[in-house]
Amino acid sequence: MTKILLAISEPRARELASELELEGHTVVVTATPAIEALRALLADVEAIVVPAARSILTSDLISACDRAGVRILALGGTDSRALGRLGIGAVLPSDASGWAVAAALTQEIAASAPPQTRPQPRLIAVRGPHGAPGRSSVAVQIAVELARSGRRTALVDADTVAPSLALLLGLSDDAPGIAAACRRAELGGLDARELTRLASTVETSGGDIDVLPGINRPTRWPELSAARLTAALQACRRWADETVVDVSAAFDADDEATYDMAGPRRHAATTASLREADAIIAVAAADPVGISRFLRDHAELRRLAGPTPTSVVVNRVRSGPLGIDARGQIRRTLERFAGITDVTFLPWDQRAADAALLHARPMSDVTPRSALVASIRSLAASMTPSAGSSATGGSSRGSSRAFRRLRSGRAVRGASRGGGDPASAS
């Protein structure tokens, strides 16, 4: 319920007052629009309805309403631009009904509400079975597309068996990376500034990505213990909006059965990352061996992940090893043996993968028009927490000045050619 002051002439004031009271509002009516008479009433109302006339909407009246916290609704205005310069947003016809006035006031309240907060920082783990299903390549491209949405993105290599992000992105094996971050986290000295110092910045078509490379030798796996890595990933939440973690295929289930329960676990980094993640991307290779390996590990993955949302991604889809209906066969197999019905398919694009390896760059940088890049972009868009999208989110070429000029020229030429063709209007 809102207390409204009607400073309009009779008999319209009485009619509108009756209609607003039916809408549940309290109305104070005055036929004197002078500022001296209205100033005394502003302290007891929440909104004022006045004629949209410059003689009434003076700077003194607007200042008095601002000081009292009273919203202004004008009726009968035609010069909306002039009223907009005065800060008067909603302008209704002079014969507007009571429900229309009440709706306009409600819209003003919604418009003045504080903006929604940014989505919470998120950690995404990318995991796949043995056999190189392409989880590292998917992790790199997911990070690029998340950075394209405008959120600060970090890429972490927590693979203790075969780390490869440094090789894929052309980084040095001597970079401190995640091992140094884990050591700092154990000492309690890991913060956003320290993570920025330890990370390597990679410039991509979607924006800069902060990369924490993995260990340069598999024998260094004890440095990525569960407690250390968990603390480091928690620090990453305070550092980046999106943290993509590439983990190895092996779990720690077999090690838990050994006699030394207090000793380090060979694959504790994978288990810790999956338990700490807010979302998991499970990658499988689109061939009989890859699907079989994925199904064998899926039950253990679900046990570790618990209620964490898991997106199943089938990579390198092609008709060669599975026949013509490769997608249909994979979908039916996953549904029958694991109850998986929501599957994302990534097409086979050897040219894009080879180009990315040759140049040590993300695929979107060297083959922006690849079907594989477009599919991963759609996957990242479906996982993006914000409803809005960036200006270049759906473009494989970005928004460079040269491309905008080329696109504008093509649009003008297309319009001139199709102007006399009736079919061009459809």
Side-chain angles (χ1 to χ4, degrees):
M1 182 179 66
T2 304
K3 194 170 184 179
I4 304 171
L5 173 61
L6 296 182
I8 57 178
S9 59
E10 297 289 355
R12 180 56 186 148
R14 295 293 178 182
E15 297 174 357
L16 186 58
S18 301
E19 296 173 358
L20 287 173
E21 288 175 353
L22 292 176
E23 298 291 332
H25 300 285
T26 302
V27 180
V28 177
V29 179
T30 177
T32 306
I35 180 60
E36 292 79 7
L38 296 176
R39 186 179 287 112
L41 301 174
L42 292 178
D44 298 328
V45 298
E46 301 172 52
I48 181 173
V49 179
V50 296
R54 293 295 301 272
S55 59
I56 297 175
L57 288 171
T58 61
S59 58
D60 293 337
L61 176 61
I62 295 175
S63 299
C65 291
D66 290 341
R67 287 192 297 270
V70 176
R71 301 190 302 274
I72 301 176
L73 182 62
L75 299 182
T78 56
D79 192 355
S80 59
R81 181 176 299 180
L83 294 175
R85 287 195 294 266
L86 295 174
I88 309 299
V91 181
L92 297 179
S94 57
D95 58 347
S97 60
W99 67 265
V101 174
L105 292 174
T106 303
Q107 291 175 0
E108 288 189 14
I109 295 175
S112 61
Q116 296 182 353
T117 58
R118 288 175 58 87
Q120 293 295 321
R122 185 174 55 166
L123 192 147
I124 302 173
V126 182
R127 189 263 169 195
H130 292 283
R135 55 181 175 268
S136 297
S137 298
V138 171
V140 169
Q141 197 56 42
I142 284 288
V144 172
E145 299 306 328
L146 291 175
R148 194 185 303 276
S149 66
R151 292 168 62 80
R152 181 172 185 176
T153 304
L155 185 59
V156 179
D157 194 343
D159 190 338
T160 55
V161 177
S164 58
L165 291 185
L167 296 174
L168 291 176
L169 297 174
L171 302 178
S172 172
D173 281 345
D174 297 330
I178 186 61
C182 287
R183 291 193 296 270
R184 295 293 295 170
E186 186 179 31
L187 299 175
L190 188 63
D191 54 10
R193 180 178 299 179
E194 188 67 13
L195 282 168
T196 302
R197 185 184 69 84
L198 297 175
S200 302
T201 302
V202 176
E203 297 181 358
T204 71
S205 60
D208 293 347
I209 298 176
D210 296 310
V211 182
L212 289 173
I215 53 179
N216 53 10
R217 293 187 305 277
T219 54
R220 295 178 57 190
W221 63 265
E223 299 182 34
L224 272 63
S225 65
R228 283 180 169 185
L229 185 60
T230 299
L233 294 179
Q234 291 174 354
C236 288
R237 292 182 187 275
R238 301 185 293 270
W239 173 48
D241 298 323
E242 302 279 1
T243 303
V244 181
V245 185
D246 181 22
V247 300
S248 66
F251 297 116
D252 238 354
D254 295 338
D255 292 344
E256 292 178 357
T258 60
Y259 66 93
D260 187 5
M261 301 301 294
R265 298 290 186 265
R266 177 69 174 85
H267 310 297
T270 301
T271 305
S273 300
L274 293 175
R275 288 175 173 168
E276 189 67 21
D278 300 306
I280 297 173
I281 298 178
V283 183
D287 57 69
V289 176
I291 297 298
S292 176
R293 288 172 172 171
F294 177 84
L295 289 173
R296 291 174 184 173
D297 292 347
H298 185 68
E300 183 65 19
L301 173 64
R302 293 308 309 155
R303 184 186 72 83
L304 293 174
T308 304
T310 301
S311 302
V312 177
V313 176
V314 179
N315 192 24
R316 301 172 183 169
V317 178
R318 59 202 186 278
S319 59
L322 294 172
I324 298 177
D325 188 18
R327 296 192 179 195
Q329 292 191 54
I330 293 173
R331 192 183 300 275
R332 289 189 293 270
T333 301
L334 294 178
E335 183 177 2
R336 177 182 178 184
F337 293 100
I340 300 172
T341 57
D342 189 6
V343 185
T344 300
F345 294 97
L346 303 181
W348 171 265
D349 193 341
Q350 189 63 46
R351 173 179 170 272
D354 290 345
L357 287 174
L358 175 63
H359 298 282
R361 300 292 301 166
M363 287 181 288
S364 57
D365 289 8
V366 293
T367 56
R369 303 181 67 179
S370 167
L372 177 56
V373 172
S375 298
I376 298 180
R377 180 168 297 149
S378 299
L379 172 63
S382 66
M383 300 180 64
T384 302
S386 58
S389 61
S390 63
T392 61
S395 172
S396 61
R397 298 192 180 187
S399 60
S400 64
R401 187 177 305 172
F403 180 68
R404 287 198 299 268
R405 287 200 299 267
L406 177 60
R407 183 173 55 188
S408 300
R410 287 178 176 175
V412 171
R413 289 196 300 271
S416 62
R417 287 196 302 266
D421 187 5
S424 63
S426 59

